[in-house]
Structure formats: C-alpha cells, structure tokens
Amino acid sequence: MGIFGRKDNTPETSAAPAGNGLAALTGDYTIDPAHTSIGFTARHAMVTNVKGSFTEFTGALHLDGDNPAKSTATLDVVMDSIDTGNADRDTHLKSADFFKTDEFPTMTFRSTGAESLGGDDYRITGDLSILGVTRPITIDLEFNGAATDPFGNQRVGFEGKAELLRSEWGLTWNAALETGGVLISDKIKLNFDVSAIKNA
C-alpha cells in the first residue's frame, strides 16, 4: 500500500476498487511539526559534513486514493528557524551572504506531480522557492505506513531525500581554500522525516 498509487495499465479515470486500502487514506492532512524533521547537509572545507535543520514550518497534504495524480503537497519554512548547532554560523546563514531572511523570510515548496518507483518508493516533483527564485526539484520518498495513534489521530508517514545545487537559487557565497577547493559545497542534500495527521 502506498500514498500515490502504482503505475499500471488502468486508465487514470478508473475508480479504485471497493475496499482498496489506498482509498481509505483519501483526504486532507496537516504536517505535524512535533514529529517531523526537515534537515540538510553541506560539505565543509572539502573534508567534513555540516548538518542543520529548520525548526519552524507548516505544511499540508491532499491524498486522493481514487486518482493519485490529484494528490498534492505544500510546505512553508521559516528561514529564521535555521539551526546548525552554531549561533555564529546560523547568523551568517541568515545574512545577506546567504538567505537574506529579512527580505525573504520563507522558503516554499509546491508539488506538481508524483509517480511510483515500485514498492513503497515514490518520487515527487515540485517547485522550490528560495530568495524569490523558483526552480523545480525532485524528492524521492519512502512511504512508512498509516496508523491511528493513541489520541485517535489518523497519521501517514514517509521519509524523503533530495539533492540540489544552491547556486541555482542564487546562493553563491563561498571562500577559496589555500589547499584548493572551496569552503562550502554547491551540492546540498535535503532529508525529510514527515508525520501528517488527517484533518477532521
């Protein structure tokens, strides 16, 4: 069972058969920030990785079990919530050298499509906006399942990962190293661990 359904030879207009487990997931969901993490990793000084996360965000899913192509995902991230475990580095990341959070306080994602890769693996495409620049991004997902928690909330969960080149969004600040190379990699790895609650 998966969130977005699997590709087969059935026309998209066909309804899901009665009793289909996916159909039971149809509805609107709100991402639960208390049980969700949005992280990133960047190569530093060519020798190690620096990891960070965003601690404030809101998001929503619409899952359509009968027509998975109509499923959508949105995410709005507060850029001032960036946390790399180092206050000076976080201040620099919020500055005009990087995210310019005074001018661009929010990073957004809006999905544009989804496909099955087989099993519980899926791929979402969408538009990521940073610094006023909007470019497409691809996120690979693994569906972790659906359950009702002890408080009666119906939840779905999944893990995701993506890679991007920060320069494509205008994030070009860097410093050369005496030994060659640069201080911060252009490639950034993103990772997501998401729990979403079905709206009443």
Side-chain angles (χ1 to χ4, degrees), residues 40-52 84-85 89 163 183-191:
F40 61 88
T41 302
R43 197 75 171 162
H44 180 262
M46 310 293 290
V47 298
T48 191
N49 291 319
V50 169
K51 297 182 179 181
T84 65
R89 181 166 55 219
E163 292 185 355
L183 184 64
I184 306 170
S185 62
D186 191 23
K187 180 189 290 186
I188 305 296
K189 297 179 180 180
L190 304 177
N191 54 83

Side-chain angles (χ1 to χ4, degrees), residues 113-133:
E115 63 177 311
S116 171
L117 302 180
D120 286 328
D121 295 327
Y122 298 85
R123 180 166 290 157
I124 286 184
T125 55
D127 293 327
L128 180 67
S129 297
I130 308 172
L131 294 175
V133 177

Side-chain angles (χ1 to χ4, degrees), residues 2-105:
I3 297 179
F4 298 105
R6 293 174 170 77
K7 288 182 176 179
D8 55 29
N9 295 323
T10 305
E12 288 189 2
T13 54
S14 296
N20 188 323
L22 180 61
L25 301 181
T26 295
D28 296 314
Y29 294 75
T30 299
I31 290 177
D32 175 11
H35 297 94
T36 297
S37 62
I38 300 172
F40 61 88
T41 302
R43 197 75 171 162
H44 180 262
M46 310 293 290
V47 298
T48 191
N49 291 319
V50 169
K51 297 182 179 181
S53 63
F54 296 96
T55 61
E56 294 182 36
F57 48 84
T58 58
L61 307 175
H62 173 73
L63 306 183
D64 190 322
D66 293 327
N67 188 353
K70 292 183 179 180
S71 298
T72 60
T74 65
L75 184 65
D76 295 87
V77 178
V78 177
M79 299 307 285
D80 267 335
S81 73
I82 194 167
D83 181 6
T84 65
N86 181 287
D88 290 340
R89 181 166 55 219
D90 293 346
T91 297
H92 190 198
L93 288 170
K94 297 172 188 179
S95 75
D97 284 341
F98 288 95
F99 290 116
K100 305 178 184 177
T101 60
D102 287 343
E103 185 178 356
F104 301 99

